[in-house]
Amino acid sequence: MVLPRRKDINSIVSEKRRELRDLPTVLVPVWQIKIRERFGINVDREIAKYIVLAAHENGTWKRQRATRKIEKLLMDRGESKENSARIAKEIIDLVIGTPEY
């Protein structure tokens, strides 16, 4: 009897990533408007993209991943490491919310 071959974890993750890339592009500007109206924060398209991915991805590390990517964007724009980490964490906590345990 031949058992079906199991997929390795990397192929499963890449499959899920492809599904995330298929999110409608209209979500990014909609979320930008939503964040501006609800929280009074103007975020650019790159940061809004990571927020959308974190909000629509079902995964354990979505918040940390989005925070790190936003932090890196802010550091590339000239913010200090400590300040960019604080701002990124505040944005994610405010927009997506804190995890419920």
Side-chain angles (χ1 to χ4, degrees):
M1 179 170 135
V2 177
L3 295 174
R5 188 170 178 218
R6 293 181 63 186
K7 293 183 178 179
D8 65 292
I9 190 71
N10 292 330
S11 64
I12 294 170
V13 168
S14 66
E15 240 176 64
K16 293 296 180 184
R17 289 276 171 226
R18 266 186 251 114
E19 291 172 12
L20 283 176
R21 286 186 209 120
D22 294 338
L23 286 174
T25 56
V26 73
L27 281 179
V28 175
V30 168
W31 271 76
Q32 281 179 294
I33 294 168
K34 176 180 165 182
I35 292 167
R36 188 178 320 121
E37 288 177 353
R38 287 191 182 172
F39 307 110
I41 301 171
N42 288 323
V43 293
D44 65 351
R45 192 170 192 80
E46 290 176 288
I47 293 174
K49 182 178 116 180
Y50 290 121
I51 292 171
V52 169
L53 287 174
H56 289 280
E57 180 181 80
N58 293 325
T60 311
W61 300 99
K62 65 182 181 179
R63 293 170 45 83
Q64 290 91 347
R65 190 178 311 117
T67 303
R68 275 187 270 127
K69 291 187 186 255
I70 292 172
E71 178 184 346
K72 184 178 181 321
L73 278 173
L74 293 171
M75 283 179 15
D76 290 345
R77 296 177 185 172
E79 290 286 337
S80 67
K81 181 171 177 59
E82 296 81 20
N83 197 28
S84 62
R86 182 184 53 79
I87 291 171
K89 184 175 179 342
E90 287 175 0
I91 288 173
I92 293 296
D93 286 345
L94 187 64
V95 175
I96 297 176
T98 56
E100 297 174 9
Y101 296 104

